Amino acid sequence: MRQRSLIAITAALAAGALTLTACGSRDDDGGSDSGNGGGGGGTTVVIGVDAPLTGDLSALGLGIKNSADLAAKTANKNKTVEGVTFKVEALDDQGQPSVGQQNASSFVANKDVLGVVGPLNSSVGESMQRVFETAKLVEVSPANTGPSLTQGPDWRTKKVRQYKSYFRTATTDAIQGPFAAQYVYNDAKKKKVFVIDDKKTYGAGLAATFTEEFKKLGGKVVGTEHINPDTKDFSSVATKVKNSGADVVYYGGEYPQAGPLSKQIKEAGAKIPLVGGDGIKDDTFLELAGSAADGDLATSVGAPVEELPSAKKFVADYKAAGYKEDYAAYGGYSYDSAWAIIEAVKKVVEDNGGKLPDDARAKVTEAMQNVSFDGVTGKVSFDEFGDATNKQLTVYSVENGAFKDVKSGTYTG
């Protein structure tokens, strides 16, 4: 995502709106005590969470928050790091880069924060990176998919690591866009596409990588348009799509706009599928688009959680914990992001005779590069850029008002 959706558990993976409930008390600042079970007392380590906890994208953001909280509670219950109790404190970025940057400064100011999970949006991630890098505070995003965050603005021709404190457990749009293009052209047999994006880091980047691969395969781009993500009236662009002769629409953006866009394109008379990335893979998209969503496609990072043996315990534990809402698209990745921080803290504590060193933040950031474990989403480790080594993706089709996975694999470029 960014940025966004795994459901039912496909449905569970794709939607929700979450608040902390039975598994942890809720603080005024949106944090959780995360302390049930204890970690042996002694030192408290705070794992920050930054995500949109209110607004249109809260279904995804709250799933990130709760899943990180579950990881902290699990570590405390199992005494994963002897003498350390983990606590989650979450801040709402509202999906806005400026707010995310303020939140990053707040986390830096709290000396107990040794790692941050988030954010959801790539544009928010960009605003936070330098703040965390300066403070040597590690950040692990479960949802950012913009390639430039790790590999630099010229990643297509020259990959350069941007920040040693930034990591992510989700794969990037350098893979997701082309993966979608291959499916649309080779499997769905669509040859003429109308490409639309929301002008944001995630959406524009994803649309660009899709377009590049689609044209390379022999497909034709019959129209392009940029929309204002603050509006819900897409009648003008819907008419352009109809008049273009396109047999498919590709949308780079998120579900709050994708749902109405899909509906209005069909209402304009263009009975063609809308295709998007993980940003539209959420049940809220289905609600916003209504019956018009049937036949639409979405790609998302990883494999469906319900099909992963590695995720069975996470799914059961999440349900048992009593969270009111769904873990949504990034629950598994959020849990793994938090667990990566826990593993890094464990390494640092063990290397320092059972206690945290004075330069714990720098040491945790350093340790993160070599973290490797079997997580909810599969093998979790990071390459030289801080990117996830797990490159798997899945295509979902909307059938009878629900997302159904139709193909999983990796991009072969």
Side-chain angles (χ1 to χ4, degrees):
M1 255 163 135
R2 208 152 94 212
Q3 331 151 129
R4 293 123 298 279
S5 268
L6 283 176
I7 183 183
I9 313 174
T10 305
L13 254 194
L18 311 164
T19 46
L20 293 169
T21 56
C23 213
S25 61
R26 184 148 176 170
D27 301 336
D28 291 339
D29 63 358
S32 165
D33 66 14
S34 302
N36 297 350
T43 303
T44 296
V45 168
V46 173
I47 297 175
V49 173
D50 178 89
L53 306 180
T54 58
D56 289 343
L57 296 172
S58 61
L60 298 174
L62 288 165
I64 289 172
K65 173 187 174 182
N66 283 5
S67 300
D69 183 69
L70 180 60
K73 286 178 167 57
T74 302
N76 290 342
K77 179 181 178 181
N78 297 338
K79 297 186 179 181
T80 300
V81 184
E82 195 67 39
V84 171
T85 298
F86 291 96
K87 177 181 179 181
V88 164
E89 292 187 0
L91 295 178
D92 180 9
D93 63 31
Q94 303 167 39
Q96 300 297 321
S98 59
V99 180
Q101 189 173 64
Q102 293 168 12
N103 290 349
S105 297
S106 295
F107 286 131
V108 167
N110 182 349
K111 63 180 177 58
D112 293 331
V113 177
L114 294 189
V116 176
V117 173
L120 171 70
N121 304 77
S122 293
S123 55
V124 177
E126 283 181 327
S127 75
M128 305 175 85
Q129 288 179 305
R130 188 174 297 279
V131 178
F132 288 139
E133 181 80 1
T134 301
K136 296 182 171 61
L137 179 58
V138 75
E139 168 189 17
V140 188
S141 173
N144 289 169
T145 54
S148 62
L149 275 70
T150 49
Q151 301 175 17
D154 301 320
W155 61 269
R156 285 180 175 83
T157 56
K158 183 176 69 172
K159 295 177 174 61
V160 179
R161 178 81 178 261
Q162 298 299 287
Y163 299 99
K164 292 184 178 180
S165 61
Y166 180 87
F167 297 82
R168 54 180 153 199
T169 53
T171 195
T172 77
D173 295 332
I175 297 170
Q176 183 173 199
F179 181 75
Q182 290 187 349
Y183 183 86
V184 170
Y185 188 86
N186 294 326
D187 297 77
K189 307 298 183 184
K190 304 298 183 183
K191 310 302 181 184
K192 296 184 291 182
V193 66
F194 194 106
V195 180
I196 306 168
D197 70 65
D198 62 1
K199 299 181 286 189
K200 296 198 289 187
T201 301
Y202 163 72
L206 186 58
T209 58
F210 171 90
T211 299
E212 184 178 1
E213 181 71 11
F214 192 76
K215 290 167 68 175
K216 187 188 302 182
L217 292 168
K220 183 178 180 181
V221 177
V222 296
T224 60
E225 191 68 49
H226 307 288
I227 65 163
N228 179 355
D230 295 325
T231 186
K232 294 294 189 294
D233 180 3
F234 305 116
S235 55
S236 176
V237 66
T239 299
K240 291 180 181 179
V241 170
K242 180 181 182 297
N243 293 337
S244 71
D247 55 14
V248 65
V249 172
Y250 189 82
Y251 177 64
E254 298 154 336
Y255 62 78
Q257 295 76 38
L261 180 62
S262 175
K263 185 176 184 179
Q264 291 172 42
I265 286 173
K266 272 78 164 184
E267 289 174 345
K271 308 298 184 182
I272 59 176
L274 180 142
V275 183
D278 52 326
I280 79 167
K281 173 59 174 51
D282 189 276
D283 280 355
T284 311
F285 168 76
L286 305 176
E287 296 167 10
L288 293 170
S291 60
D294 272 23
D296 287 350
L297 300 166
T299 53
S300 192
V301 295
V305 160
E306 74 275 14
E307 296 179 10
L308 291 172
S310 58
K312 291 188 186 304
K313 188 175 187 304
F314 165 74
V315 172
D317 288 351
Y318 192 95
K319 182 177 180 180
Y323 296 108
K324 288 194 305 183
E325 305 84 0
D326 206 71
Y327 48 83
Y330 298 102
Y333 291 93
S334 181
Y335 187 100
D336 285 346
S337 293
W339 201 263
I341 293 170
I342 291 164
E343 288 288 339
V345 170
K346 181 180 181 180
K347 171 67 173 171
V348 170
V349 168
E350 289 176 348
D351 287 352
N352 194 51
K355 61 181 182 179
L356 287 170
D358 292 337
D359 60 343
R361 281 182 174 173
K363 286 291 198 297
V364 169
T365 296
E366 183 180 337
M368 186 62 70
Q369 187 63 54
N370 296 315
V371 160
S372 180
F373 61 94
D374 293 322
V376 171
T377 59
K379 185 73 173 180
V380 177
S381 59
F382 306 100
D383 66 15
E384 67 270 30
F385 301 103
D387 284 328
T389 54
N390 183 351
K391 311 293 187 185
Q392 191 169 27
L393 290 150
T394 300
V395 177
Y396 296 85
S397 174
V398 180
E399 299 180 13
N400 299 317
F403 282 109
K404 178 183 178 182
D405 57 287
V406 293
K407 185 173 185 178
S408 292
T410 56
Y411 165 62
T412 54

